[in-house]
Amino acid sequence: MYHRHTGRITATALAAFAATLSLTACQADGGTAAGTAPTPVAATVAATSATPSAAAPATATPAAPAPRPADGTRSASAAPVPASPAAATSSGTAPACTPDALEATAYQAAVRPPGTGTGAAVVQFKNVSAAACVLRGHPTVAGAGNGSPQHSVPLKVTRTGTAASVRLAPGGKAWVKLTFVQVQGEADGYCVSGATPSVYPTLVVGLPGAGKHQVALDDGVFAECDNKVTATAVLSAKPA
């Protein structure tokens, strides 16, 4: 009886153990059904790929332009603004004056060598055109009678001063000073060299590129010796 009872207990224990395993399995199945289903591996990978990595660099945002100073000036780092065509044109070199653009007149200079002749004269050139133009250089000079510049007598010109461009706006003026070998004495006078003094009612004064212009003194005639003259270049300031 001892062995039979023992075998019954053993059988009963085995049956109880099997029931416990079955219950445990049912509870495990029930827990799985009632709880949240495990996330499939593919879904996990997809979700991970869709989430930006914290280590990924953020897209750079363009820097805002530097604020403009209140006084309207640009920053020193700003790109230079090219000059407008209008500004470049206004500062450009004007063309050479044409003969028709100039009106020439002459008068005796205040500062001249002593004597009874003309001594020195100033020739004035006025721009009578509607556009700016440029004069430059030393003049040619010839003595002539009234209305007959084609029969002029060239004077030997000694140049003085450095030639520079003189820009004349409409109505602007430029000057050339002529200094002669002065006639000495009274009446017809005489030349220190022994030559006979020359008297010209007009002079023909030429400028490079600007033509030749016949001028008469506002008072008297041109009297000089040796057919020589010292001439300045075109001046922007009125000489004495």
Side-chain angles (χ1 to χ4, degrees):
M1 289 202 45
Y2 176 79
H3 292 289
R4 188 183 308 157
H5 180 68
T6 300
R8 187 181 305 115
I9 292 174
T10 302
T12 302
L14 290 174
F17 180 72
T20 302
L21 290 176
S22 176
L23 179 60
T24 302
C26 290
Q27 289 177 346
D29 292 342
T32 302
T36 303
T39 304
V41 174
T44 302
V45 173
T48 303
S49 300
T51 303
S53 171
T59 303
T61 302
R68 190 181 185 90
D71 61 358
T73 59
R74 294 183 63 86
S75 169
S77 62
V81 179
S84 65
T89 301
S90 63
S91 60
T93 302
C97 297
T98 62
D100 293 340
L102 298 175
E103 177 185 80
T105 56
Y107 57 91
Q108 289 199 47
V111 178
R112 56 185 185 267
T116 57
T118 305
V122 175
V123 181
Q124 175 182 283
F125 297 91
K126 181 179 179 180
N127 180 6
V128 294
S129 72
C133 63
V134 170
L135 288 179
R136 179 186 177 89
H138 291 82
T140 60
V141 183
N146 289 330
S148 58
Q150 67 274 19
H151 297 137
S152 60
V153 178
L155 275 59
K156 182 179 178 180
V157 176
T158 299
R159 298 178 176 181
T160 182
T162 302
S165 296
V166 177
R167 187 179 187 275
L168 300 182
K173 299 174 183 178
W175 297 268
V176 167
K177 184 173 181 178
L178 308 176
T179 302
F180 304 95
V181 178
Q182 181 67 297
V183 176
Q184 305 296 320
E186 300 295 331
D188 293 338
Y190 67 96
C191 296
V192 174
S193 65
T196 301
S198 297
V199 177
Y200 301 104
T202 64
L203 292 181
V204 176
V205 181
L207 288 176
K212 295 181 177 181
H213 304 267
Q214 188 173 14
V215 294
L217 287 174
D218 55 359
D219 180 20
V221 293
F222 297 97
E224 53 85 27
C225 287
D226 305 333
N227 287 340
K228 295 179 180 179
V229 63
T230 299
T232 68
V234 175
L235 303 172
S236 59
K238 185 177 179 180

